[in-house]
């Protein structure tokens, strides 16, 4: 129950993602100054790192990553996270896993089952967090504007009716 841009940020900004995703740390590296294609995320779980490389990047619509699990001989798993607006102001999240090569199917199926458990819990955490933020939003009182001192006037304003 949050706007798509907000959900996008919770998925793509390491500091935001770590608030709801079960990881000890998320370390982002990029050869560019901006997050996008080529960015790598190292999702730390103890001494192990799950490495994600961003392959496609369409801000607030979707991003695609190749994920490498810390298992010897593990294939890279391609996944797209897509975000769509709902009529009620909420965001629909869809995660699509690319079809693996036949030799990798059993590994991806096993990893997918574990990922489904983790992501289901994590999305529930995110949902609760975002709903809590919406109910606890407070209005910030702005101080009144300071009256103009007309400090930029150097001479009286002349009437145009001369």
């Amino acid at each position: 129950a949050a706007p798509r841009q907000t959900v996008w940020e919770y998925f793509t900004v390491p500091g935001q993602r770590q608030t709801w995703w079960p990881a000890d740390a998320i370390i982002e590296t990029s050869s560019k100054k901006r997050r996008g294609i080529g960015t790598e995320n190292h999702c730390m779980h103890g001494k192990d790192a799950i490495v994600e490389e961003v392959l496609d990047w369409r801000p607030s619509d979707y991003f695609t990553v190749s994920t490498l699990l810390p298992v010897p001989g593990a294939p890279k798993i391609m996944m797209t996270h897509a975000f769509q607006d709902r009529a009620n102001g909420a965001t629909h999240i869809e995660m699509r896993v690319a079809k693996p090569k036949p030799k990798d199917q059993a590994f991806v199926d096993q990893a997918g089952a574990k990922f489904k458990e983790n992501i289901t819990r994590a999305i529930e955490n995110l949902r609760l967090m975002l709903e809590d933020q919406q109910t606890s939003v407070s209005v910030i009182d702005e101080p009144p504007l300071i009256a103009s001192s007309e400090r930029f006037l150097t001479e009286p304003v002349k009437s145009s009716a001369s």
Side-chain angles (χ1 to χ4, degrees):
R4 183 166 35 133
Q5 182 63 38
T6 300
V7 176
W8 169 266
E9 289 173 8
Y10 272 92
F11 267 76
T12 61
V13 177
Q16 293 286 65
R17 186 172 169 195
Q18 200 167 336
T19 62
W20 62 276
W21 184 250
D24 299 328
I26 298 174
I27 302 163
E28 181 179 279
T29 60
S30 178
S31 59
K32 301 173 185 170
K33 294 184 188 223
R34 298 184 70 154
R35 185 176 294 118
I37 295 172
T39 297
E40 280 192 3
N41 294 314
H42 296 248
C43 192
M44 305 303 297
H45 299 270
K47 62 179 179 51
D48 295 325
I50 296 172
V51 180
E52 298 173 332
E53 179 185 359
V54 177
L55 304 175
D56 196 2
W57 183 261
R58 301 283 184 246
S60 79
D61 290 333
Y62 70 89
F63 66 95
T64 301
V65 294
S66 95
T67 302
L68 183 59
L69 300 174
V71 176
K76 288 185 177 181
I77 300 171
M78 308 272 273
M79 187 175 345
T80 296
H81 298 72
F83 309 91
Q84 299 171 345
D85 293 324
R86 289 293 186 227
N88 62 358
T91 301
H92 174 77
I93 304 165
E94 191 172 303
M95 295 177 190
R96 305 174 193 138
V97 178
K99 184 174 180 161
K101 295 176 183 172
K103 69 179 183 68
D104 299 328
Q105 186 71 53
F107 181 89
V108 172
D109 287 347
Q110 184 179 4
K114 183 66 175 165
F115 178 77
K116 184 178 179 180
E117 284 179 34
N118 289 339
I119 196 67
T120 300
R121 276 194 307 270
I123 292 292
E124 181 63 13
N125 290 342
L126 177 59
R127 186 184 65 77
L128 293 171
M129 182 185 306
L130 291 172
E131 285 177 359
D132 185 49
Q133 284 180 3
Q134 287 182 349
T135 60
S136 63
V137 172
S138 59
V139 176
I140 299 172
D141 289 327
E142 296 272 350
L145 291 175
I146 299 171
S148 170
S149 64
E150 298 180 359
R151 65 179 183 211
F152 296 111
L153 291 178
T154 55
E155 50 187 84
V157 178
K158 295 180 183 176
S159 170
S160 60
S162 348

